[in-house]
Amino acid sequence: MIEKKKATPISKLGEFGLIEHLTKDIKPKNKETIEGIGDDAAILDYGDNLQVVTTDLLVEGIHFNLMYVPLKHLGYKSIMVNLSDVFAMNARPLQVTVSLAISNKFSIEAIEELYRGMREACDKFNVDLVGGDTTSSLTGLVISVTALGKVKKGEVSRRSGSKVNDLIVVTGDLGGAYMGLQLLERENEVFKVDHNMKPQLEGYDYILKRQLRPEARGDIIEFFKEQNIIPTSMIDISDGLSSELLHICKESKTGCNLYEDKVPLDSQTKKFAEELNINPLVTALNGGEDYELLFTINMNDYEKLKNNPDFTFIGNITEKEKGANLVTTLDGRSIPLTAQGWNPLK
Ligand code: ADP
Ligand code: MG
């Protein structure tokens, strides 16, 4: 007789719960490992500089749909999301490795397209593609990218460094990538019903680009260097503003006030959200995949950022006891911030 083993569904824990469960007693054994699991990238100590390492896995049918995602864009994005995690440590990316599992439905030309996008993304930030692994898959395409980067000791920004009274800042605008995905999904549904239907994408070029071809904010890291700014904490926005801000508060043991009316939204994001009867704010808070940087700075650095259109001040860090709150525009009420996020395991 085979003994019946306990089988708890993974959905019970969700993505973050599962990671915590699997890794809670994994402790670094080597003195070179400064930070293991828990930030945008691991931090390794090799002398004057710290090395950061981050990895991501993209699975066909889960993270991308080849019905409407061109392979070249997919390649570009799969590199960019990793470089974004390196930038989120205030580090410079130097190398990536790329591992692929490919099913027999893909031609050489198709994989060449994927690589064209990957190389474009690497070239943009002067990153070397130094290796990987290739194997076959029974069903679809699986892409795993690992990125390595470098940062001077003392310049690294972790999730855990925010302090009470720090200002909370975000780059660019939020929610666009999520609305771009909604648009692509809608047009794909229409196409599945009637193959003669042409997709209606006019007027939405910006949100489509936000979804299909995101740009990691390496320009911001350069700006920090020039201005001698070291964010007290930083994270990139892959799962939505709420989720990322809660990560910073949890790791820093702080609270926060996020002001609803300050959250930056593009006009196309707002327009399409209204068309679908979605509150545009929700696309920023819970949408994800914007790959903007969310960071905190000491008030003394305010002057250096205040007139720069890349940055929006969206709140401030408070004592942990005050909790993480969203301050509403209408009546100034504070409601607890919750992370719905984008959870692929739900
Ligand atoms: P991000 O959204 O920035 O890519 P994740 O939420 O995927 O970050 O990961 C959070 C942390 O957990 C990171 O330090 C990552 O290296 C680690 N992590 C994720 N999955 C695993 C896993 N299966 N085993 C060990 N560590 C993991
Ligand atoms: Mg990240």
Side-chain angles (χ1 to χ4, degrees), residues 323-341:
N325 295 296
L326 177 71
V327 183
T328 58
T329 310
L330 213 56
D331 51 7
R333 241 179 348 128
S334 283
I335 52 175
L337 205 58
T338 54
Q340 204 168 314

Side-chain angles (χ1 to χ4, degrees), residues 40 85 88 159 235-236 238:
D40 294 292
D85 275 323
R159 295 177 179 182
I235 188 168
D236 71 324
S238 50

